[in-house]
Amino acid sequence: MAELLVNPVAALTTLDADGLTFRPWCPAAILQLAAWSEDSAAALAQWERATFGASIAGAGATLARDGVRLWPTAPWRRLLIAEAGTTLPALPADVAAVPSTGGYVGLRLDGPRSRDLLAKLAAIDLHPDMLVEGDFATAKLEHVRVHLQRAGADAFDLLLPVSYAEFTLGALADAALEYGARIDPAVLHRPPPPQESPRLVRLK
């Protein structure tokens, strides 16, 4: 039997640093929605208007209502994210819906250093003029494709592929060392750093 992938973020209660906090973000459900034709895309847009009161205007725009978010990952592709305690809306007709909750790990970064941290690793312009509050982007973070949304002035919600979650969390933790962050090596299955033995010095 294949071994289940471990979610290292679930073992991370909180990781605090100077002006920076990591917290697990645990959506109750994540679904990938995909249209495959002009008619299917029209059905998707119609469902968006009926469910959220608007349709996604373009890349980076998002929709949200009653604890449910919709992120555009590609043309005719969406991530539907439901927070804990919310009810999924009726799914659109003529649109493929693939449950993907187990394929992602959620992480929330907040604090005035959160943008500085992501800017060191992600190939994307995170300036508030380019990624305003509520906007969504897909970016490479240390060569791993992640989805992120600016959830506040100094807050970001990230969805990481579960198979790369440990690597990505490790990269973020390492990049946060200069801000005073410390992470338990056991969370990332890392051995503790070796302790050097005192050196014997002889004077001639």
Side-chain angles (χ1 to χ4, degrees):
M1 178 181 291
E3 184 178 354
L4 293 177
L5 293 171
V6 176
N7 176 0
V9 177
L12 181 71
T13 52
T14 301
L15 178 64
D16 291 314
D18 180 18
L20 178 67
T21 300
F22 291 38
R23 301 182 191 280
W25 171 40
C26 304
I30 302 171
L31 289 90
Q32 295 190 55
L33 306 181
W36 60 83
S37 66
E38 294 288 347
D39 289 342
S40 180
L44 177 59
Q46 182 179 5
W47 171 81
E48 290 173 355
R49 289 190 292 269
T51 304
F52 297 95
S55 58
I56 286 183
T62 62
L63 297 173
R65 184 175 181 177
D66 300 330
V68 178
R69 294 186 244 183
L70 198 66
W71 292 357
T73 56
W76 297 1
R77 301 288 188 272
R78 308 284 188 263
L79 274 182
L80 180 65
I81 304 162
E83 300 288 355
T86 62
T87 302
L88 275 174
L91 298 178
D94 301 322
V95 174
V98 180
S100 303
T101 310
Y104 291 99
V105 171
L107 181 67
R108 180 163 288 160
L109 306 182
D110 58 47
R113 291 285 193 178
S114 58
R115 181 163 71 96
D116 296 335
L117 173 66
L118 288 174
K120 293 201 297 182
L121 302 173
I124 184 174
D125 189 345
L126 298 169
H127 191 277
D129 290 343
M130 299 301 296
L131 193 74
V132 303
E133 187 172 340
D135 274 2
F136 162 86
T138 297
K140 287 290 187 69
L141 196 156
E142 282 294 276
H143 311 293
V144 177
R145 186 171 180 262
V146 302
H147 302 305
L148 65 89
Q149 182 180 31
R150 190 178 213 114
D154 294 312
F156 296 87
D157 287 343
L158 282 69
L159 286 181
L160 321 172
V162 67
S163 55
Y164 291 99
E166 185 173 351
F167 169 82
T168 310
L169 179 59
L172 288 166
D174 288 344
L177 287 174
E178 69 171 287
Y179 310 131
R182 295 293 181 268
I183 188 168
D184 182 356
V187 172
L188 299 176
H189 303 95
R190 292 178 173 177
Q195 301 295 321
E196 291 190 6
S197 302
R199 294 180 178 179
L200 179 62
V201 178
R202 294 181 179 179
L203 300 177
K204 292 185 179 180

